[in-house]
Amino acid sequence: MALLKYEEIAESLRSRIAAGEFAPGDTLPSGRDLAEQWAVSRATTVKAMDVLRNDGVVEARQGTGFIVTETPVARPAGGRAAGSARVSGGLPFLRVGAPDWAVPPVHVAEALRMDAGRETLRRIRVLQLPDGSPHSYVTAWFAPDVAESSPRLAQTAPIAEGTTRYVRRQTGRFPVEGTDTTSVRLASDTEAEHLALSGPTAVAVLLHTAFDNEGRPLVCEEGVTPGSLYERVDTYAM
Protein backbone atom coordinates (compact mmCIF):
# COMPACT_ATOMS: atom_id res chain seq x y z
CA MET A 1 0.00 0.00 0.00
CA ALA A 2 1.39 3.39 -1.01
CA LEU A 3 2.13 5.84 1.77
CA LEU A 4 0.05 8.96 2.12
CA LYS A 5 2.02 12.16 1.57
CA TYR A 6 2.28 13.05 5.27
CA GLU A 7 3.44 9.50 6.04
CA GLU A 8 6.04 9.79 3.29
CA ILE A 9 7.34 13.04 4.79
CA ALA A 10 7.49 11.48 8.26
CA GLU A 11 9.36 8.43 6.94
CA SER A 12 11.84 10.64 5.10
CA LEU A 13 12.57 12.58 8.28
CA ARG A 14 12.96 9.33 10.25
CA SER A 15 15.52 8.12 7.71
CA ARG A 16 17.45 11.39 7.90
CA ILE A 17 17.47 11.24 11.71
CA ALA A 18 18.57 7.59 11.63
CA ALA A 19 21.38 8.48 9.20
CA GLY A 20 22.69 11.10 11.64
CA GLU A 21 21.76 14.16 9.58
CA PHE A 22 19.81 15.40 12.60
CA ALA A 23 21.24 14.55 16.02
CA PRO A 24 19.35 14.60 19.34
CA GLY A 25 18.54 18.23 20.16
CA ASP A 26 18.78 19.40 16.53
CA THR A 27 15.94 21.41 15.03
CA LEU A 28 14.12 19.89 12.07
CA PRO A 29 13.20 21.93 8.98
CA SER A 30 10.23 24.23 9.56
CA GLY A 31 6.74 23.37 8.39
CA ARG A 32 7.03 26.12 5.77
CA ASP A 33 10.30 24.71 4.42
CA LEU A 34 8.90 21.18 4.32
CA ALA A 35 5.74 22.38 2.59
CA GLU A 36 7.81 24.07 -0.10
CA GLN A 37 10.18 21.11 -0.48
CA TRP A 38 7.36 18.57 -0.82
CA ALA A 39 4.87 20.86 -2.59
CA VAL A 40 2.19 20.22 0.01
CA SER A 41 0.07 22.28 2.37
CA ARG A 42 1.22 23.28 5.85
CA ALA A 43 -1.56 21.06 7.22
CA THR A 44 0.14 18.05 5.64
CA THR A 45 3.46 18.85 7.29
CA VAL A 46 1.68 19.29 10.64
CA LYS A 47 0.25 15.78 10.29
CA ALA A 48 3.74 14.46 9.50
CA MET A 49 5.14 16.06 12.65
CA ASP A 50 2.23 14.68 14.69
CA VAL A 51 3.20 11.17 13.55
CA LEU A 52 6.80 11.70 14.68
CA ARG A 53 5.75 13.33 17.95
CA ASN A 54 3.34 10.49 18.78
CA ASP A 55 6.21 8.03 18.28
CA GLY A 56 8.48 10.03 20.57
CA VAL A 57 10.93 10.88 17.77
CA VAL A 58 10.52 14.68 18.01
CA GLU A 59 9.17 17.16 20.52
CA ALA A 60 7.86 20.69 20.16
CA ARG A 61 9.92 23.47 21.70
CA GLN A 62 8.48 26.95 22.13
CA GLY A 63 10.05 29.49 19.80
CA THR A 64 12.21 26.87 18.10
CA GLY A 65 9.96 24.37 16.35
CA PHE A 66 10.38 20.63 16.41
CA ILE A 67 13.60 19.13 17.72
CA VAL A 68 14.87 15.56 17.69
CA THR A 69 14.11 14.01 21.07
CA GLU A 70 17.16 14.10 23.33
CA THR A 71 15.88 11.37 25.65
CA PRO A 72 14.57 8.35 23.75
CA VAL A 73 11.40 6.70 25.00
CA ALA A 74 10.20 3.13 24.80
CA ARG A 75 7.06 1.34 25.86
CA PRO A 76 7.10 -1.36 28.50
CA ALA A 77 6.80 -4.91 27.24
CA GLY A 78 3.31 -5.32 25.81
CA GLY A 79 1.15 -2.22 25.50
CA ARG A 80 1.39 -2.26 21.72
CA ALA A 81 -2.22 -2.65 20.72
CA ALA A 82 -3.17 -1.14 17.36
CA GLY A 83 -3.61 2.62 17.67
CA SER A 84 -1.38 3.03 20.73
CA ALA A 85 1.33 5.68 20.60
CA ARG A 86 4.86 5.32 21.90
CA VAL A 87 4.92 8.81 23.37
CA SER A 88 1.73 8.33 25.43
CA GLY A 89 2.69 4.92 26.78
CA GLY A 90 6.45 5.28 26.72
CA LEU A 91 9.08 6.00 29.32
CA PRO A 92 12.68 7.22 29.05
CA PHE A 93 15.16 4.38 29.18
CA LEU A 94 18.80 3.48 29.58
CA ARG A 95 20.44 0.78 27.49
CA VAL A 96 22.09 -1.95 29.57
CA GLY A 97 25.38 -3.01 28.03
CA ALA A 98 25.61 -3.60 24.30
CA PRO A 99 23.32 -5.83 22.24
CA ASP A 100 24.77 -9.33 22.04
CA TRP A 101 24.07 -12.84 20.82
CA ALA A 102 23.12 -15.24 23.59
CA VAL A 103 21.10 -18.37 24.26
CA PRO A 104 17.62 -17.31 25.44
CA PRO A 105 15.77 -18.96 28.31
CA VAL A 106 13.76 -22.02 27.34
CA HIS A 107 10.39 -20.23 27.52
CA VAL A 108 11.66 -17.47 25.21
CA ALA A 109 13.11 -19.99 22.75
CA GLU A 110 9.74 -21.73 22.70
CA ALA A 111 7.93 -18.44 22.08
CA LEU A 112 10.30 -17.71 19.17
CA ARG A 113 9.98 -21.33 17.96
CA MET A 114 13.76 -21.76 18.16
CA ASP A 115 15.76 -24.89 18.79
CA ALA A 116 17.01 -25.08 22.37
CA GLY A 117 20.60 -23.88 22.74
CA ARG A 118 20.58 -21.70 19.62
CA GLU A 119 21.78 -18.11 20.06
CA THR A 120 19.88 -15.02 19.00
CA LEU A 121 20.17 -11.26 19.43
CA ARG A 122 19.43 -9.75 22.84
CA ARG A 123 18.84 -6.07 23.67
CA ILE A 124 18.33 -4.97 27.28
CA ARG A 125 17.03 -1.67 28.64
CA VAL A 126 15.81 -0.21 31.94
CA LEU A 127 12.75 1.99 31.66
CA GLN A 128 12.67 4.92 34.07
CA LEU A 129 10.04 6.88 35.95
CA PRO A 130 9.99 10.71 35.65
CA ASP A 131 12.21 11.02 38.74
CA GLY A 132 14.86 8.77 37.17
CA SER A 133 14.16 5.73 39.31
CA PRO A 134 13.81 2.37 37.54
CA HIS A 135 10.40 1.19 36.40
CA SER A 136 11.07 -2.07 34.58
CA TYR A 137 13.85 -4.24 33.23
CA VAL A 138 13.14 -5.30 29.64
CA THR A 139 14.99 -7.88 27.59
CA ALA A 140 14.12 -8.10 23.90
CA TRP A 141 15.04 -11.26 21.99
CA PHE A 142 14.79 -11.02 18.20
CA ALA A 143 14.12 -14.05 16.04
CA PRO A 144 17.45 -15.09 14.43
CA ASP A 145 16.31 -14.45 10.84
CA VAL A 146 15.12 -10.96 11.84
CA ALA A 147 18.38 -10.17 13.66
CA GLU A 148 20.55 -11.39 10.79
CA SER A 149 18.67 -9.18 8.30
CA SER A 150 18.70 -6.07 10.52
CA PRO A 151 22.31 -5.21 11.44
CA ARG A 152 21.47 -1.98 13.30
CA LEU A 153 19.77 -4.05 15.99
CA ALA A 154 23.24 -5.13 17.06
CA GLN A 155 24.36 -1.52 17.58
CA THR A 156 24.11 0.35 20.87
CA ALA A 157 22.84 3.60 19.34
CA PRO A 158 19.08 4.20 19.55
CA ILE A 159 17.08 3.41 16.42
CA ALA A 160 15.34 6.72 15.81
CA GLU A 161 12.53 5.31 13.69
CA GLY A 162 11.86 2.54 16.22
CA THR A 163 12.80 -1.12 15.89
CA THR A 164 9.43 -2.08 14.39
CA ARG A 165 9.74 0.34 11.47
CA TYR A 166 13.41 -0.51 10.99
CA VAL A 167 12.72 -4.25 10.88
CA ARG A 168 9.86 -3.68 8.46
CA ARG A 169 12.15 -1.69 6.17
CA GLN A 170 14.83 -4.38 6.32
CA THR A 171 12.68 -7.48 6.06
CA GLY A 172 9.24 -6.44 4.82
CA ARG A 173 7.80 -8.08 7.94
CA PHE A 174 5.83 -6.31 10.64
CA PRO A 175 3.68 -7.30 13.63
CA VAL A 176 -0.01 -7.94 13.11
CA GLU A 177 -0.68 -9.91 16.27
CA GLY A 178 0.75 -9.92 19.77
CA THR A 179 0.50 -12.35 22.65
CA ASP A 180 1.06 -11.13 26.22
CA THR A 181 1.46 -13.55 29.11
CA THR A 182 1.80 -12.21 32.65
CA SER A 183 3.18 -14.18 35.59
CA VAL A 184 4.58 -13.42 39.05
CA ARG A 185 7.87 -14.55 40.61
CA LEU A 186 10.78 -13.26 42.68
CA ALA A 187 13.30 -10.98 40.99
CA SER A 188 16.62 -12.49 40.00
CA ASP A 189 19.82 -10.97 41.39
CA THR A 190 20.49 -9.15 38.09
CA GLU A 191 16.96 -7.79 37.91
CA ALA A 192 17.05 -6.71 41.56
CA GLU A 193 20.32 -4.83 40.95
CA HIS A 194 18.98 -2.89 37.96
CA LEU A 195 15.61 -2.24 39.60
CA ALA A 196 17.22 -1.09 42.88
CA LEU A 197 15.41 -3.76 44.90
CA SER A 198 16.61 -5.02 48.26
CA GLY A 199 15.85 -8.50 49.50
CA PRO A 200 13.50 -11.00 47.85
CA THR A 201 10.91 -8.97 45.94
CA ALA A 202 7.88 -10.08 43.93
CA VAL A 203 7.86 -8.86 40.34
CA ALA A 204 5.33 -9.06 37.54
CA VAL A 205 6.78 -10.59 34.38
CA LEU A 206 5.10 -9.78 31.08
CA LEU A 207 6.18 -11.91 28.13
CA HIS A 208 5.22 -10.20 24.86
CA THR A 209 5.62 -12.00 21.52
CA ALA A 210 4.90 -10.26 18.22
CA PHE A 211 3.94 -12.23 15.10
CA ASP A 212 3.85 -11.23 11.43
CA ASN A 213 0.98 -11.80 9.00
CA GLU A 214 2.15 -15.37 8.39
CA GLY A 215 2.19 -16.15 12.10
CA ARG A 216 5.99 -16.13 12.34
CA PRO A 217 7.48 -14.67 15.54
CA LEU A 218 9.46 -11.46 15.16
CA VAL A 219 10.51 -10.60 18.69
CA CYS A 220 9.92 -11.73 22.24
CA GLU A 221 10.19 -9.16 25.04
CA GLU A 222 10.28 -9.98 28.72
CA GLY A 223 9.46 -7.03 30.95
CA VAL A 224 10.07 -7.32 34.69
CA THR A 225 8.32 -4.76 36.92
CA PRO A 226 8.24 -4.59 40.74
CA GLY A 227 4.83 -5.55 42.07
CA SER A 228 4.39 -2.10 43.63
CA LEU A 229 4.64 -0.46 40.18
CA TYR A 230 2.70 -2.95 38.10
CA GLU A 231 -0.93 -2.32 37.26
CA ARG A 232 -3.11 -3.70 34.51
CA VAL A 233 -6.56 -2.38 33.70
CA ASP A 234 -8.88 -4.10 31.22
CA THR A 235 -12.16 -2.62 30.04
CA TYR A 236 -14.59 -4.92 28.28
CA ALA A 237 -18.24 -5.35 27.43
CA MET A 238 -20.46 -7.44 29.74
Side-chain angles (χ1 to χ4, degrees), residues 98-119:
D100 63 352
W101 285 76
V103 176
V106 173
H107 64 284
V108 172
E110 290 176 349
L112 292 174
R113 301 173 189 166
M114 292 173 50
D115 294 333
R118 183 180 179 187
E119 291 187 343

Side-chain angles (χ1 to χ4, degrees), residues 15-131:
S15 297
R16 294 169 70 182
I17 293 169
E21 183 177 345
F22 300 108
D26 283 355
T27 303
L28 293 180
S30 68
R32 177 177 299 173
D33 289 343
L34 289 171
E36 291 180 357
Q37 176 187 344
W38 288 85
V40 296
S41 68
R42 289 287 298 279
T44 299
T45 66
V46 169
K47 290 181 70 174
M49 288 303 183
D50 282 344
V51 170
L52 297 178
R53 181 164 53 180
N54 285 337
D55 276 350
V57 177
V58 304
E59 58 188 52
R61 180 164 295 179
Q62 182 102 20
T64 301
F66 286 95
I67 68 167
V68 179
T69 303
E70 297 185 67
T71 303
V73 296
R75 284 175 286 193
R80 287 169 168 76
S84 65
R86 194 194 319 174
V87 70
S88 60
L91 295 169
F93 68 91
L94 295 174
R95 181 72 56 201
V96 177
D100 63 352
W101 285 76
V103 176
V106 173
H107 64 284
V108 172
E110 290 176 349
L112 292 174
R113 301 173 189 166
M114 292 173 50
D115 294 333
R118 183 180 179 187
E119 291 187 343
T120 195
L121 186 69
R122 171 178 62 181
R123 291 166 62 92
I124 304 174
R125 61 181 182 268
V126 173
L127 275 61
Q128 299 176 308
L129 294 169
D131 64 2

